[in-house]
Amino acid sequence: MPDAAPFRVGLAGTGPWAGLAHAPALASAGEIEFAGIWGRNQQAAGDLASRYQVTPYRDFSELLAVADAVAFALPPDVQAALAIRAAAAGKHVLLEKPVATTLAGADDVAGAVAEAGVASVVFFTARFQPDTRAWLAEVGRAGGWAGGQATWLGTAMSDSSPFNTPWRRDKGGLWDLGPHVVSMLWASLGPVLRVTADAGAGDLTHLVLHHDGGATSTVTVTVGAPDAADGFSGFLWGRAGRSPLPGETLQPVQALHTALGELAACARTGQPHECDAAFGRDVVAVLADAERQLAG
């Protein structure tokens, strides 16, 4: 029997995350064929493509023509419009969080994916780490969790950070770090039914999440913390005591290998992923409600 055709994945985006994570993951995932790169910056696309010996494409449609799927490493609202185009063209999508920065935009992305019947995975980084998955299985077996707490003090607004980008300066920690934390607490304590939000100085945001089943959790996020305060901490609490939440890996390429492999499996089997575009939309609904409360 001939070998199965490789799963061809193109990369949309040329920024820091594309260079640090997506491109090296695509180039080193054994079951994946790196199909090429498109970016809004043609020079950057050419430079990144040259580094991995793949073709840079001048038009997004050209990338779609040679790929089975597209991995996105773009600002969320740029991603949303292009993901809808990719899905309409029958391409599977690996999305970054948040899938959009409005609920209407997230509805459009999830709707396009569902209508086209393509596979989707949203790369909530920690959800693709072996330690996180082992932890989720462990806390699921233990049960009896009454609540949780997570604090992520990020420093993306530091002058030296490669992630000091316009969309993060505009949307802050709620939209940059919030999706990761909401995803983790959703997976461990149950779906979020409602959120209560309050603001501190700058982009500092406090959330109370009310979960299906009665648990509540609190979240504090910012991307404007001093460098000396940078870090993540969190735990669940209940009758079993405390269980610390795993943090994000410093090796995102390995987590992306897992995400790419699972996207390919979903494309092959037609089965939805637990972190698909519909779940990405649900996370955006929480963030959008929090943003509405803060604006009011």
Side-chain angles (χ1 to χ4, degrees):
M1 294 287 292
D3 292 337
F7 190 62
R8 302 167 300 166
V9 183
L11 173 58
T14 60
W17 192 235
L20 290 169
H22 280 270
L26 286 166
S28 58
E31 72 275 28
I32 301 299
E33 179 182 313
F34 195 170
I37 297 173
W38 171 85
R40 295 172 296 166
N41 183 323
Q42 292 292 309
Q43 180 63 51
D47 292 345
L48 191 57
S50 177
R51 192 184 315 166
Y52 292 97
Q53 298 182 316
V54 297
T55 301
Y57 291 95
R58 297 185 63 84
D59 189 271
F60 185 63
S61 297
E62 295 175 344
L63 182 67
L64 294 179
V66 300
D68 300 308
V70 179
F72 289 90
L74 291 163
D77 288 334
V78 178
Q79 167 184 259
L82 293 174
I84 291 168
R85 284 181 57 188
K91 309 303 177 181
H92 311 290
V93 290
L94 178 68
L95 302 166
E96 278 293 336
K97 57 79 230 167
V99 296
T101 55
T102 65
L103 182 54
D107 281 338
D108 289 344
V109 172
V113 166
E115 182 176 354
V118 297
S120 62
V121 167
V122 182
F123 187 53
F124 297 100
T125 310
R127 297 288 299 275
F128 296 89
Q129 298 172 199
D131 62 334
T132 298
R133 290 182 169 183
W135 177 80
L136 286 170
E138 178 184 342
V139 298
R141 287 190 297 268
W145 303 106
Q149 180 274 331
T151 298
W152 196 340
L153 306 179
T155 57
M157 293 303 96
S158 169
D159 290 340
S160 62
S161 173
F163 302 108
N164 189 344
T165 55
W167 85 266
R168 288 183 176 87
R169 291 194 292 271
D170 180 39
K171 305 303 288 186
L174 174 65
W175 288 92
D176 184 24
L177 305 180
H180 292 293
V181 180
V182 170
S183 170
M184 285 285 286
L185 292 169
W186 186 303
S188 55
L189 293 176
V192 177
L193 301 181
R194 60 189 177 90
V195 60
T196 304
D198 199 357
D203 78 312
L204 184 66
T205 304
H206 307 284
L207 308 177
V208 179
L209 306 179
H210 304 262
H211 298 266
D212 189 15
T216 55
S217 60
T218 61
V219 175
T220 296
V221 288
T222 178
V223 290
D227 289 345
D230 181 46
F232 171 83
S233 63
F235 58 88
L236 302 188
W237 67 273
R239 65 188 181 209
R242 290 192 183 205
S243 181
L245 272 71
E248 279 202 7
T249 179
L250 298 178
Q251 299 178 324
V253 170
Q254 284 75 11
L256 264 169
H257 282 167
T258 300
L260 287 164
E262 292 178 359
L263 178 67
C266 291
R268 184 173 62 252
T269 64
Q271 295 299 309
H273 196 278
E274 62 183 346
C275 293
D276 63 4
F279 177 66
R281 176 264 173 213
D282 290 342
V283 171
V284 166
V286 174
L287 305 177
D289 191 6
E291 185 178 64
R292 177 190 59 78
Q293 294 176 43
L294 298 173

